[in-house]
Each structure stands twice: as structure tokens, then as C-alpha cells.
Amino acid sequence: MKDDRMIYTGQLTYKDMDFTFVFDGKELRLIPFKDKRDEINENWLRTPLVNGAYTLNTPVMEEDYLYGICNETNQKIIFLIRRSDYLTPHGNHLLGGNYVLVTNVIAYILCKYDRKSIDRISFLCPEIDAIYPLQNSFTFSLGADFEEFNKTGIVSITTKDFDSTTSEPQKFIVDNRTVSVYFSVCVGSI
């Protein structure tokens, strides 16, 4: 059985500290360099009570996003961090163990070009079907009549042209600029 999950690894900086990251599509694991393990353990994961006695601490992710460089593609990767509910409005908790910090990610962007802005995002996941259904891009027929289909089992699928598979643009204001977003279904990679 083939496993379609991709594991990304690389380096990123969080709170002025360098980490190696491992990302499995859901959880982002931040692994400190060996010389910073004690600092993570003593200053982030534990709180001193008295000399030599500690209590466990659950640090909070204070960033909305993190970005780093991906080892597999040598591209910038941006992690959109899962924000918590109203009980913890400043971020979600970082789980920690064996010096490793773990946080949830709601989405990630693998940047094709090294730019300061993003001009195109491609979604390659089943969730996009809930936003703009793939069924908008094709039609199918069972043949001349249902009895013929019962005999042959042949179904014809015809793709629609690009213009009819493209949604109407939706406009938003971002940083005092008008941004337009639309969805389209196309064949091949972008």
C-alpha cells in the first residue's frame, strides 16, 4: 500500500532560536540544536520553583505563522499555525518532550519562487473540493441509452474549457490593497 503523505524537514527560527523542523502534514516538530537543549528544557518546558525543583510548563505558540527552508526542495515553506479558541487567544500550546516542541498547523505554503509576496497559491488536496467542487470541470454520459450502458459499461467523460471551470473573482481588502481570488480547475502542474 502506497503512503501519499510527504514529510518535510528543514531549518527555521522561532523566538531568536534556530530549530530543525519535521512536518508530517499536521504536526510541526521543532527540534533545537544540541547546544540549546538545556535552554529549551529549563526555560521553556519547566518553571523553577526553588533551587533544583521544577514544575512542568506548557509554552504557548506566540506566532501566527513560521517560515523556514525545506531540505527536500530548497524552497521557503510557510506554516500557518493553528490558533486556539477564545480561551487561549494568544496562541496554541506547544507540547514538549525530549527537548522537542510540537504544534499543530492548519495549512502550509511551499513557495515556488523566492519572493517577499505570494502571487499564486495552488491547492492540491481534497478540501478544495468542498470550496470549489471538481465536478464543475467535467460532464459524463452513459452513451446513447441506458440499455447500451448495461451491456458495455462504457462511460464518457468530457472536460470543460478553462473559462467555464473558473469561478467568479472575489475581492478582498488586504493591507489597504484590493486582492482578487478565484478558483479554477486545470490539468497539469502550475
Side-chain angles (χ1 to χ4, degrees):
M1 186 165 112
K2 182 182 172 197
D3 187 359
D4 290 331
R5 290 181 295 175
M6 179 68 178
I7 303 289
Y8 291 106
T9 63
Q11 286 73 42
L12 62 76
T13 301
Y14 173 57
K15 293 177 81 170
D16 297 324
M17 189 174 295
D18 294 328
F19 291 90
T20 296
F21 71 80
V22 177
F23 178 60
D24 67 1
K26 290 182 181 179
E27 291 183 336
L28 176 64
R29 297 180 184 280
L30 304 177
I31 305 164
F33 293 140
K34 191 173 184 177
D35 63 334
K36 297 295 183 179
R37 287 180 180 173
D38 289 338
E39 184 176 341
I40 293 291
N41 197 35
E42 292 174 13
N43 297 334
W44 293 30
L45 299 176
R46 301 187 306 174
T47 302
L49 295 174
V50 294
N51 192 15
Y54 295 90
T55 184
L56 293 178
N57 185 25
T58 306
V60 173
M61 172 57 74
E62 298 171 2
E63 299 294 330
D64 291 329
Y65 66 92
L66 297 173
Y67 70 91
I69 301 297
C70 183
N71 290 336
E72 290 75 18
T73 63
N74 201 30
Q75 295 171 312
K76 185 188 297 183
I77 187 167
I78 302 170
F79 301 102
L80 304 176
I81 306 301
R82 182 178 304 276
R83 297 297 291 197
S84 296
D85 58 18
Y86 65 93
L87 297 174
T88 54
H90 302 294
N92 64 339
H93 292 287
L94 287 165
L95 302 176
N98 295 332
Y99 312 105
V100 177
L101 303 173
V102 181
T103 188
N104 290 322
V105 173
I106 56 171
Y108 68 96
I109 301 168
L110 195 56
C111 299
K112 189 172 185 178
Y113 304 105
D114 189 18
R115 299 179 182 157
K116 292 190 184 268
S117 61
I118 298 170
D119 59 355
R120 177 183 287 181
I121 298 175
S122 297
F123 292 94
L124 302 173
C125 60
E127 288 81 4
I128 193 66
D129 198 44
I131 298 169
Y132 192 67
L134 182 63
Q135 68 190 19
N136 293 342
S137 65
F138 63 88
T139 59
F140 70 93
S141 65
L142 301 178
D145 60 29
F146 189 69
E147 287 183 28
E148 181 182 334
F149 169 72
N150 279 337
K151 291 178 187 174
T152 64
I154 296 174
V155 176
S156 297
I157 298 177
T158 306
T159 58
K160 295 180 181 178
D161 63 288
F162 182 77
D163 289 337
S164 55
T165 64
T166 303
S167 70
E168 291 295 319
Q170 300 293 314
K171 295 186 179 188
F172 303 92
I173 305 293
V174 178
D175 293 334
N176 296 322
R177 292 183 181 172
T178 302
V179 176
S180 181
V181 176
Y182 66 90
F183 292 96
S184 62
V185 179
C186 62
V187 177
S189 61
I190 296 177

